[in-house]
Amino acid sequence: MDVDLRKLRYFVAVAEELHFGRAAVRLHIAQPVLSRQIRALEGELRAQLFRRDRRSTELTAAGLQLLEDARPLLASADALRRRVGTAARGTSAFTVAFMPGITVTGAVRELSARHPGLTVELLRTTWDDQTEVLHDGRADVSVIRLPVDRRGLSVRPLFREPRVAVLPAGHRLAGKESVRVGDLADEHLLNDPDAVPEWRDVAVELREGTAPARRGFRSVEEKLEHVAAGRGIAVVPRSTSEYYTRSDVARVPVEDLPPNEVCLAWVSGRRSRVIFEFAEIFADLAGAGERTR
């Protein structure tokens, strides 16, 4: 049996909204049509995907499994369409994604010099989409910061770098040569606590239950604005703190935090010669950079 990708898209919309009406609006289709498509999918799979009553819609165990498998499948289909569309237009393009603070200029120049007819595009990512851009085809390779979900990816280590605490310029710890995680126990961390488990384990606000409601940040710039305003501190890789230099924040190395690991990633199933060549170029340049630090 072949699974209809359109029905899968309908299913994912309902699974994410857990409401047929909202999902129908999101998909720009009538709700009865959506309900019929979901029933048809359940018939094809011979499994109930949702439990519905007058008050709620919930995923069954089969629905949870399908949602886990459907997202990467749909992302792969999107990636395939993008690559085929590029080939159909007769263009030769290669997109490099990169996280804030990471410089890819040298590797991009070398790849462009070796392939004059290749258009190399650049795409800035965030913690939230640094691997998503690979799965959905927006990027061919992505320079990532661990940790990430490695499923479906080839990951090649490049280098490691220290992490620093970014503080308001007038903070009591600003200007110190270094600090330890314990020195930050009284602070409000603007990172997700799971991203800095060493802080999470000693944090006073988590132990006492006084932590304010957390919010997600769409960019490093937004996070630094909150640091400068005295609303908390952030832990970032050293290169990120150096790239976003500003007078109203200070950076202090944190001695007992493990370094951040920077890697190059791409979709495992791809066998592009240009991907492997770029990986070699970047690894060589990264290695040379480490040796000169």
Side-chain angles (χ1 to χ4, degrees):
M1 178 197 69
D2 294 327
V3 177
D4 186 336
L5 291 180
R6 182 185 59 180
K7 290 191 182 79
L8 278 185
R9 293 187 193 280
Y10 290 172
F11 162 77
V12 170
V14 178
E16 291 178 345
E17 299 289 345
L18 289 178
H19 191 282
F20 276 73
R22 288 195 298 267
V25 171
R26 170 174 155 183
L27 294 165
H28 306 291
I29 62 174
Q31 184 173 335
V33 173
L34 177 58
S35 296
R36 286 197 299 271
Q37 293 295 316
I38 295 301
R39 284 197 299 270
L41 180 60
E42 289 178 322
E44 292 169 4
L45 295 175
R46 299 180 182 179
Q48 181 182 357
L49 303 174
F50 296 100
R51 280 188 294 269
R52 302 174 66 182
D53 57 32
R54 293 180 179 179
R55 291 178 297 177
S56 66
T57 298
E58 296 180 348
L59 284 162
T60 63
L64 287 168
Q65 183 62 58
L66 182 60
L67 181 60
E68 180 179 342
D69 293 336
R71 282 171 168 156
L73 181 59
L74 292 174
S76 295
D78 289 339
L80 182 148
R81 275 193 292 269
R82 284 192 173 97
R83 289 195 291 269
V84 171
T86 298
R89 290 190 297 271
T91 56
S92 180
F94 185 81
T95 300
V96 178
F98 62 97
M99 284 285 283
I102 297 174
T103 302
V104 298
T105 308
V108 168
R109 284 178 176 169
E110 177 63 24
L111 186 69
S112 298
R114 295 186 187 186
H115 301 274
L118 182 67
T119 300
V120 182
E121 305 286 354
L122 299 175
L123 176 64
R124 181 184 180 276
T125 59
T126 68
W127 283 104
D128 294 331
D129 67 357
Q130 58 177 331
T131 58
E132 179 183 310
V133 298
L134 297 171
H135 292 301
D136 67 17
R138 281 178 285 164
D140 295 284
V141 296
S142 183
V143 187
I144 62 172
R145 295 189 184 277
L146 298 184
V148 300
D149 183 349
R150 300 187 183 209
R151 287 179 295 181
L153 299 177
S154 294
V155 177
R156 178 166 184 170
L158 295 172
F159 60 88
R160 295 151 61 99
E161 62 172 319
R163 289 188 286 172
V164 303
V166 182
L167 319 163
H171 194 278
R172 61 186 174 82
L173 298 175
K176 288 189 171 293
E177 290 188 7
S178 64
V179 297
R180 298 182 66 81
V181 173
D183 298 324
L184 307 174
D186 291 325
E187 306 296 333
H188 172 55
L189 187 73
L190 297 176
N191 304 70
D192 181 336
D194 290 339
V196 193
E198 298 82 4
W199 175 87
R200 181 194 60 202
D201 293 342
V202 300
V204 171
E205 65 177 33
L206 296 184
R207 185 170 65 248
E208 297 181 349
T210 57
R214 294 201 170 270
R215 52 162 296 182
F217 294 96
R218 292 168 293 180
S219 66
V220 176
E221 294 92 335
E222 187 178 351
K223 189 179 293 184
L224 292 180
E225 286 295 330
H226 282 260
V227 171
R231 295 172 183 166
I233 68 168
V235 172
V236 301
R238 181 177 61 189
S239 62
T240 302
S241 71
E242 292 172 347
Y243 185 82
Y244 292 96
T245 301
R246 45 190 294 172
S247 60
D248 51 1
V249 301
R251 62 177 183 268
V252 181
V254 185
E255 296 176 5
D256 49 347
L257 279 183
N260 176 243
E261 296 184 60
V262 177
C263 302
L264 187 69
W266 61 92
V267 173
S268 298
R270 298 198 60 192
R271 294 292 180 266
S272 165
R273 179 174 60 86
V274 179
I275 288 178
F276 299 139
E277 187 173 356
F278 184 81
E280 291 297 328
I281 292 170
F282 207 124
D284 288 345
L285 291 175
E290 285 290 282
R291 290 192 293 273
T292 58
R293 288 181 187 178

